[in-house]
Amino acid sequence: MRKSVKVVQYNTELYEHKPNLYQFLDNIVSLKDKKILDWGCKTGGLLFFSEGEIKQEKYTGVDVSSKSLKVLKDTFPRAKTIHYDKYNNGYNHNGNKYCTWCLKDTYDVIFSYSVFTHTSFMEFQDVFNRHKEHLNKDGLMIHTFADIENKEHTQYLLDEQQFKTYSPNFDELYRYDDELSIEYNDKKCNVFNSFFNRNYVEKKLDCFVDETPLLSTVIYERT
């Protein structure tokens, strides 16, 4: 008897109007046969846009949203998912502020898109340094952030009225997330945005920052 093969039907509406993260990442580093960690993976857009070039068995998605991870797992059943139950003002109101670190394995590529546009710089720096310990030799870490000096980035995060209100206060490191934390007193909110000065990021993280089509990109290689 012929064994039946389950065919997965993608819900393409999940990925409409989303950036092609695979194309973006593949322009920086070849992803062929790489073991990949997608930090803040949501529903797995990186896997979707790779059209099978990234093997599910070599992909691990981490997110603070258990609902997003369920969608990813239903769509890509052979991928590994990790729920990082960390509190986030916009995406995980019931998470833990002091969450146990969620990684044990090592990877060839560690990537995030627009995750640190929704955290403090302190969290960005902490995660960046922790990720170093999970890179294989010659592995590459690639994280994006919004540069306060880049008008496209600030407009990406702030509407016109917000920009007019906050732009006079921009300095070397302007953290809109801190303003919101004070304003909302850690209550639930729908918007939690952060952007940082490129030179500040390079200095604090001791890394290379590149201007790429999708935000600014921190690139770190473990030698």
Side-chain angles (χ1 to χ4, degrees):
M1 181 180 292
R2 194 173 184 178
K3 187 176 181 179
S4 62
V5 178
K6 182 180 179 181
V7 178
V8 176
Q9 297 293 325
Y10 297 134
N11 180 4
T12 56
E13 292 181 1
L14 287 171
Y15 310 101
E16 286 180 354
H17 312 299
K18 301 292 184 182
N20 189 325
L21 299 181
Y22 174 78
Q23 186 179 63
F24 166 74
L25 194 54
D26 195 54
N27 284 334
I28 298 174
V29 58
S30 172
L31 301 176
K32 185 176 176 60
D33 297 324
K34 293 290 198 306
K35 189 176 178 183
I36 297 170
L37 175 71
D38 188 359
W39 185 262
C41 59
K42 295 187 179 178
T43 56
L46 181 59
L47 264 179
F48 174 81
F49 285 111
S50 80
E51 298 181 338
E53 288 298 312
I54 297 176
K55 303 304 179 187
Q56 293 184 39
E57 295 82 358
K58 288 182 172 288
Y59 172 94
T60 299
V62 178
D63 207 275
V64 297
S65 169
S66 57
K67 291 181 179 179
S68 292
L69 291 176
K70 183 180 185 308
V71 173
L72 191 158
K73 195 67 175 177
D74 288 343
T75 308
F76 305 101
R78 298 191 305 281
K80 182 178 179 181
T81 58
I82 298 174
H83 183 215
Y84 185 40
D85 198 15
K86 172 84 173 177
Y87 171 82
N88 182 277
N89 240 359
Y91 294 97
N92 191 19
H93 300 140
N94 297 316
N96 301 308
K97 287 195 174 183
Y98 305 100
C99 189
T100 302
W101 184 240
C102 61
L103 298 181
K104 296 180 180 178
D105 211 343
T106 58
Y107 306 89
D108 300 314
V109 177
I110 297 177
F111 169 69
S112 74
Y113 171 68
S114 196
V115 169
F116 301 109
T117 54
H118 305 292
T119 73
S120 67
F121 184 80
M122 185 182 297
E123 183 170 343
F124 185 7
Q125 188 173 30
D126 179 58
V127 171
F128 178 86
N129 289 328
R130 285 175 178 264
H131 278 172
K132 288 180 180 179
E133 302 172 6
H134 297 277
L135 273 178
N136 291 327
K137 189 176 183 301
D138 299 323
L140 213 60
M141 178 161 53
I142 300 164
H143 292 306
T144 63
F145 70 95
D147 182 358
I148 197 168
E149 302 294 337
N150 189 314
K151 190 173 181 180
E152 289 185 1
H153 294 181
T154 53
Q155 289 179 336
Y156 165 70
L157 290 172
L158 301 175
D159 62 34
E160 185 176 352
Q161 185 56 49
Q162 288 172 329
F163 183 80
K164 289 179 180 178
T165 301
Y166 290 103
S167 59
N169 302 313
F170 291 169
D171 55 22
E172 183 182 51
L173 176 64
Y174 186 81
R175 298 187 292 182
Y176 185 56
D177 57 286
D178 284 353
E179 297 284 332
L180 283 175
S181 294
I182 295 168
E183 181 180 348
Y184 285 92
N185 194 26
D186 289 330
K187 294 179 182 178
K188 296 179 181 180
C189 63
N190 295 322
V191 179
F192 187 84
N193 295 326
S194 314
F195 38 98
F196 316 112
N197 177 278
R198 168 184 173 157
N199 294 328
Y200 186 93
V201 172
E202 283 187 321
K203 180 180 178 181
K204 288 295 185 180
L205 300 187
D206 190 21
C207 63
F208 172 70
V209 174
D210 193 15
E211 291 296 334
T212 50
L214 299 178
L215 301 177
S216 291
T217 305
V218 168
I219 300 176
Y220 171 87
E221 183 176 8
R222 180 174 184 181
T223 57

